[in-house]
């Protein structure tokens, strides 16, 4: 490879600058677009509760003896 490290670094820096420029003109990502869109949906609280129960179901039970 005949290209010096300095030249390669300049190419990388230029590519990063171009990507940053493209990113400033892009639309918000999907998560930003939907955040808060379910806040007034009554069923959403049920969905959250179901997800919470599902996650907790895999947790090991405490080995506490009841005498």
């Amino acid at each position: 490879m005949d290209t010096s490290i300095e030249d390669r670094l300049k190419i990388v820096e230029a590519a990063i600058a171009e990507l940053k420029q493209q990113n400033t003109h892009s639309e918000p990502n999907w998560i930003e677009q939907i955040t808060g869109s379910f806040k007034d949906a009554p069923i959403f609280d049920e969905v959250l509760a179901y997800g919470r129960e599902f996650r907790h179901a895999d947790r090991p039970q405490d080995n506490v003896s009841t005498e």
Side-chain angles (χ1 to χ4, degrees):
M1 192 176 280
D2 293 342
T3 309
S4 70
I5 292 177
E6 290 83 9
D7 290 338
R8 292 171 59 194
L9 181 59
K10 287 178 186 179
I11 293 168
V12 170
E13 288 175 338
I16 291 172
E18 183 180 340
L19 289 172
K20 284 182 177 181
Q21 182 67 23
Q22 290 174 0
N23 192 33
T24 59
H25 293 104
S26 65
E27 294 181 21
N29 65 26
W30 67 271
I31 195 75
E32 292 172 350
Q33 292 175 348
I34 67 164
T35 299
S37 61
F38 298 108
K39 68 179 181 176
D40 295 326
I43 193 74
F44 188 64
D45 291 333
E46 291 180 43
V47 170
L48 291 177
Y50 178 75
R52 195 174 306 112
E53 288 175 22
F54 186 78
R55 288 190 306 277
H56 290 271
D58 288 341
R59 291 184 180 174
Q61 298 295 320
D62 292 335
N63 292 331
V64 178
S65 63
T66 55
E67 295 180 25

